[in-house]
Amino acid sequence: MRWLAPIQRADEAAFYWLSTQLRRPTGGTLARWISRSGDGYGYLIACLLAFALQDPDATLLLILLLAAFLVEIPVYWVLKNTLRRTRPYERVKHFTSLIQASDKFSFPSGHTTAAFMFAGICAVIMPSLALWVYLWAVAIGLSRIALGVHYPTDIVAGALLGSGLATFVLSFAAGYLG
């Protein structure tokens, strides 16, 4: 595991630089708002908005998201509790996070995983929104660094995991939807 030490040091340096840069414009206020939009209720609001706008794909979006979260939550939980990476605010000296995370471990980022999973599914079901949902997913990941609760590699892993889960659920659903 000694080969991980240089990666950890580089990740910590990138984290420290990014978190300070991302906090600058608003002192973290914008990061808090963006991060909260990636809480569980954000996806429900997106589905309700699709229903309110009478989008013909609203039901499919809701069903696929429910299925995706049924897969994502246990996978995410097992990964976090198996890998047990310490959060940056507990490891990086002289750093204060803007929030305390709701769980103990850092890798992968759950907010980023969910955001990229949502973006991947939404981009296929509602392609006109693809650019916007992916920009939002990237913003979610960056907000988690700005808030001081995730390293950059946590975000990359979350983006890859979320995208992979979206692909898995869409592929699985394609078999049933024809």
Side-chain angles (χ1 to χ4, degrees):
M1 289 297 222
R2 286 188 0 202
W3 60 272
L4 284 175
I7 296 169
Q8 178 68 30
R9 283 193 300 276
D11 208 16
E12 286 176 6
F15 161 77
Y16 191 77
W17 184 84
L18 271 171
S19 64
T20 55
Q21 298 304 310
L22 292 168
R23 288 179 182 188
R24 280 199 175 156
T26 65
T29 303
L30 181 60
R32 286 177 207 257
W33 183 86
I34 292 169
S35 180
R36 283 187 191 133
S37 75
D39 291 346
Y41 66 83
Y43 307 107
L44 178 59
I45 290 171
C47 288
L48 293 174
L49 184 58
F51 279 108
L53 295 173
Q54 297 181 342
D55 188 297
D57 296 316
T59 302
L60 180 58
L61 178 65
L62 177 63
I63 291 168
L64 289 174
L65 284 175
L66 288 172
F69 279 108
L70 284 173
V71 174
E72 185 262 348
I73 291 169
V75 168
Y76 155 82
W77 188 88
V78 167
L79 281 171
K80 273 226 176 176
N81 289 286
T82 300
L83 299 172
R84 304 170 68 95
R85 186 180 198 189
T86 305
R87 294 226 179 240
Y89 58 79
E90 293 176 351
R91 184 171 167 89
V92 178
K93 291 181 173 119
H94 311 295
F95 181 81
T96 303
S97 66
L98 297 177
I99 64 169
Q100 293 295 308
S102 62
D103 60 10
K104 186 173 177 152
F105 302 115
S106 169
F107 187 91
S109 165
H111 275 75
T112 308
T113 299
F116 273 87
M117 188 177 69
F118 172 81
I121 291 170
C122 192
V124 169
I125 303 303
M126 301 169 174
S128 64
L129 298 177
L131 174 64
W132 301 111
V133 293
Y134 276 111
L135 287 173
W136 171 77
V138 168
I140 293 286
L142 292 174
S143 76
R144 303 301 286 171
I145 296 170
L147 294 172
V149 294
H150 284 290
Y151 296 103
T153 54
D154 299 340
I155 304 308
V156 171
L160 292 172
L161 178 59
S163 297
L165 290 169
T167 301
F168 171 77
V169 169
L170 288 164
S171 297
F172 186 77
Y176 287 98
L177 299 174

